[in-house]
């Protein structure tokens, strides 16, 4: 397998493109200050995607429901923070 040399900085800045190239079968040798530190190669076999048992039961039916529940939780936390802040004694700012 032929490896293309790429600096760690370039790999970091172009990681998505690098992964796309690896998915197409390319391989890279990542270097730091000219020394090899890692190799990025295509996986010989794709890893199976495992589903967590019962995950579907814990997720909202759609993303809109998730957005509403998160928004409500944020409002609850903001209200608690306001209540706690008002209970604190004033600070002396000099």
């Amino acid at each position: 397998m032929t490896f293309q040399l790429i600096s760690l900085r370039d790999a970091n800045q172009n990681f998505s493109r690098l992964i796309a190239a690896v998915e197409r079968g390319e391989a890279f040798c990542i270097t730091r200050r000219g020394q090899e530190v890692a190799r990025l190669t295509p996986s010989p076999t794709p890893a199976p995607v495992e589903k967590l048992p019962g995950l579907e039961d814990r997720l909202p039916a759609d993303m809109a429901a998730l957005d509403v529940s998160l928004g409500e939780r944020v409002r609850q936390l903001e209200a608690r923070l306001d209540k706690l802040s008002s209970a604190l004694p004033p600070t002396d700012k000099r």
Side-chain angles (χ1 to χ4, degrees):
M1 179 174 281
T2 304
F3 290 88
Q4 298 176 50
L5 294 178
I6 186 168
S7 71
L8 180 60
R9 180 175 185 228
D10 288 341
N12 185 38
Q13 291 178 342
N14 298 295
F15 191 69
S16 295
R17 288 187 212 139
L18 194 60
I19 293 299
V22 170
E23 288 176 329
R24 290 190 305 269
E26 298 179 46
F28 296 88
C29 176
I30 301 173
T31 62
R32 177 188 285 150
R33 296 184 187 100
Q35 299 295 315
E36 179 181 333
V37 293
R39 289 185 178 188
L40 190 58
T41 62
S43 178
T45 57
V49 176
E50 296 181 24
K51 289 187 177 182
L52 296 175
L55 183 62
E56 294 82 11
D57 300 335
R58 295 185 307 218
L59 293 176
D62 59 37
M63 293 308 288
L66 179 62
D67 186 41
V68 168
S69 62
L70 286 176
E72 179 58 30
R73 184 66 179 139
V74 167
R75 282 187 287 283
Q76 291 171 357
L77 291 171
E78 287 173 337
R80 286 181 64 190
L81 182 59
D82 288 343
K83 186 176 179 180
L84 289 171
S85 296
S86 64
L88 292 174
T91 58
D92 185 19
K93 297 180 183 179
R94 289 184 195 185

